[in-house]
Amino acid sequence: MTSLPTAGKRKRVFIRTYGCQMNVYDSDRMADVLRPLGYALSESPEQADLVVLNTCHIREKASEKVYSELGRLRDVKLERRREGSDLTIAVAGCVAQAEGEEIARRQPAVDIVVGPQAYHHLPQLLAEAERRAAVRRAGKRLPGAGVLDTEFPAESKFDHLPAPAGVRAGSAFLSIQEGCDKFCTFCVVPYTRGAEYSRPVEAILREARALVAAGAIELTLLGQNVNAYHGEATDGSTWSLARLLRALAEIEGLARLRYTTSHPRDMSDDLIAAHGEIPQLMPYLHLPVQSGSDRILEAMNRGHGRDLFRRLVDRLRAMRPDLALSSDFIVGFPGESDGDFDDTMRLVDEVGFASAFSFKYSRRPGTPGATLADQIPEALKTARLAALQALLADQQRAFNSMKVGATVPVLFAEPGRKPGQMLGKSPWLQSVHVEGPTSLLGRIAEVELTGAYAVSLSGRLVSPLEVAA
Ligand code: 5AD
Ligand code: SF4
């Protein structure tokens, strides 16, 4: 057992977050773990004593970025050592989980490698890293590389992480579910984030109440498969996501609820009904479909065809006619023919998306897709992605234009880029710019939408409407 680093001494940590909103949430929790050890947040690696890279492994490009950033950090560290001080470098997140030992081999300047399930061990890991640094300073040789913790501990990290400390401008993330048991053949998540796990109901309700008390008026529930949520309640019953949403909607002062990211297979009748019944549940749903071809969906092991997706969309829109849909698409999965790709384009045409993310298939070692024959040439993937993105961009522009003239509630989360400008989100998650005071931060105000652009809207403040208590 190592002693913990001294609390109270003022130190600075810089956390860089890559990838999805789960990582954004995790980075905040890591800051919460480090705060009692005396770490305040720093704006740049140059001013920090500790740098944490919270990494993403979902596509090759995301992983490679980490190694180039580590190269830059090594130079900062060497410079520090020349000056007689040091920089501690930690790699967290999914690259840490998947490539732990390789990171230490490729970049020996890394002190700590910590997987997403082990963040509550950070104090011990830092203590061990400090001990190793002291040994090195004494001129002795160290066995092995840095400190590595990529186990899936038996205890849940959620039971050991401190409560969230603050809320940024009225909107907060709340992680309710992690991991995935679906094993889509392209995806590393089941390997990096582990098996599906739902947090107990009471812990979520407690965290939600604390976030609202700290100023949140919008909560976004997070999970890799958030709509597969099945958490245990204190009476031993199991709650679905729909039931949890209904309970959260009872919290006084909570104006908006969202959840992400979902799987079509887990869109239960109850959850679809919830979209029509819970006024706080925003009319926006991110529902990844990946492909419009039955053959490719099968090869991806998605467990549903294009018809099921079409039917889900129809039923959701029947419940909530103003629902905006967003999705994820992958082009160039192994074996994807021109006909398969046309099926995807047709599905997009038929459904109509308010926004979407689309990617070229990236071959991930260890996934079944990586070993499939008939990998698609890069140039063909590029051409298909360009065609799909052009169609999706048209749809997004059309959706934004359709809202011009409407007066809608906007939640202001950050200052705009120009002085005097504020940036907020519409119910459909569109970015909206207005001229307005910074006192709008963390509040909802009525805005008349006046102009539509590719990925945002401009508007005019009608009358500030305070929703928060
Ligand atoms: N290649 C390309 N895109 C991928 N995604 C997941 N794995 C891969 C991969 N190997 C995309 C999916 C998923 C989103 C988070 O990332 O569209 O929904
Ligand atoms: Fe990955 Fe599929 Fe699980 Fe989503 S459902 S995290 S794409 S394996």
Side-chain angles (χ1 to χ4, degrees), residues 189-327:
V189 166
Y191 313 98
T192 53
R193 289 274 173 167
E196 221 174 88
Y197 166 79
S198 296
R199 290 178 72 189
V201 169
E202 201 43 51
I204 294 168
L205 294 178
R206 207 180 315 123
E207 188 166 328
R209 284 189 214 105
L211 288 166
V212 173
I217 53 175
E218 174 177 84
L219 286 184
T220 303
L221 308 183
L222 299 179
Q224 260 97 26
N225 252 287
V226 75
N227 60 340
Y229 178 81
H230 55 284
E232 204 180 299
T234 33
D235 63 1
S237 63
T238 302
W239 284 28
S240 65
L241 178 62
R243 185 152 180 204
L244 184 66
L245 286 165
R246 288 194 176 92
L248 289 167
E250 301 283 309
I251 298 178
E252 182 111 11
L254 185 56
R256 292 183 167 191
L257 277 167
R258 303 179 184 278
Y259 63 89
T260 196
T261 185
S262 299
H263 195 294
R265 261 157 71 188
D266 296 312
M267 275 326 286
S268 66
D269 296 351
D270 198 20
L271 187 55
I272 293 171
H275 278 273
E277 289 164 13
I278 304 176
Q280 293 94 328
L281 189 53
M282 289 292 100
Y284 173 94
L285 179 65
H286 182 67
L287 191 60
V289 63
Q290 316 296 357
S291 167
S293 151
D294 279 337
R295 221 171 55 83
I296 295 297
L297 286 169
E298 167 93 41
M300 287 176 164
N301 191 32
R302 291 289 290 176
H304 70 85
R306 66 179 279 137
D307 275 355
L308 178 118
F309 187 80
R310 288 290 316 273
R311 269 204 313 280
L312 281 177
V313 169
D314 289 346
R315 291 174 56 210
L316 281 158
R317 284 182 170 152
M319 281 293 165
R320 184 84 209 223
D322 65 340
L323 187 83
L325 275 165
S326 147
S327 199

Side-chain angles (χ1 to χ4, degrees), residues 45-46 71-81 87:
E46 283 71 27
R72 278 193 292 276
L73 289 175
R74 180 206 46 204
D75 295 344
V76 178
K77 187 184 183 104
L78 292 179
E79 180 66 34
R80 290 275 177 92
R81 284 191 177 165
L87 172 71

